[in-house]
């Protein structure tokens, strides 16, 4: 399973329908994710991948693809990004 598939699996785990998840979908406008839900998603991703995500350092997330890209970069960075 690649990073995108794993990120989307985490999103499905917090309640999103698999059919609505695409990398280009905008989190707020298309998926109706508010800031509280985004925090929940980030925490779920951190736990699933055993990484620490600094959303401020990442410049925020606009699309589902931004989440995938962030997780991919942190995983590629190796142990420096791991908790």
């Amino acid at each position: 399973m690649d990073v995108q598939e794993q990120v989307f699996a985490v999103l499905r785990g917090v309640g999103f329908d698999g059919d609505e998840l695409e990398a280009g979908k905008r989190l707020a406008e298309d998926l109706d994710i508010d800031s509280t839900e985004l925090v929940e998603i980030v925490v779920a991703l951190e736990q699933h991948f055993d990484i620490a995500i600094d959303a401020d350092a990442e410049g925020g997330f606009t699309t589902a693809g931004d989440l995938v890209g962030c997780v991919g970069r942190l995983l590629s960075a190796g142990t420096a990004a791991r908790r």
Side-chain angles (χ1 to χ4, degrees):
M1 189 181 291
D2 69 17
V3 172
Q4 178 173 302
E5 290 172 349
Q6 290 184 59
V7 168
F8 286 1
V10 170
L11 292 173
R12 285 190 296 276
V14 294
F16 289 93
D17 185 3
D19 293 340
E20 64 186 342
L21 297 174
E22 296 175 16
K25 292 276 186 158
R26 296 171 296 173
L27 299 175
E29 296 86 354
D30 299 329
L31 299 175
D32 202 26
I33 295 173
D34 64 23
S35 60
T36 302
E37 291 170 316
L38 183 57
V39 169
E40 179 183 351
I41 290 167
V42 167
V43 169
L45 291 170
E46 288 178 329
Q47 291 173 345
H48 179 83
F49 291 100
D50 192 27
I51 57 176
I53 298 173
D54 184 345
D56 292 332
E58 293 290 333
F61 303 108
T62 304
T63 66
D66 293 342
L67 292 170
V68 173
C70 172
V71 169
R73 281 190 303 279
L74 291 173
L75 291 174
S76 293
T79 56
R82 298 196 188 268
R83 293 185 201 191

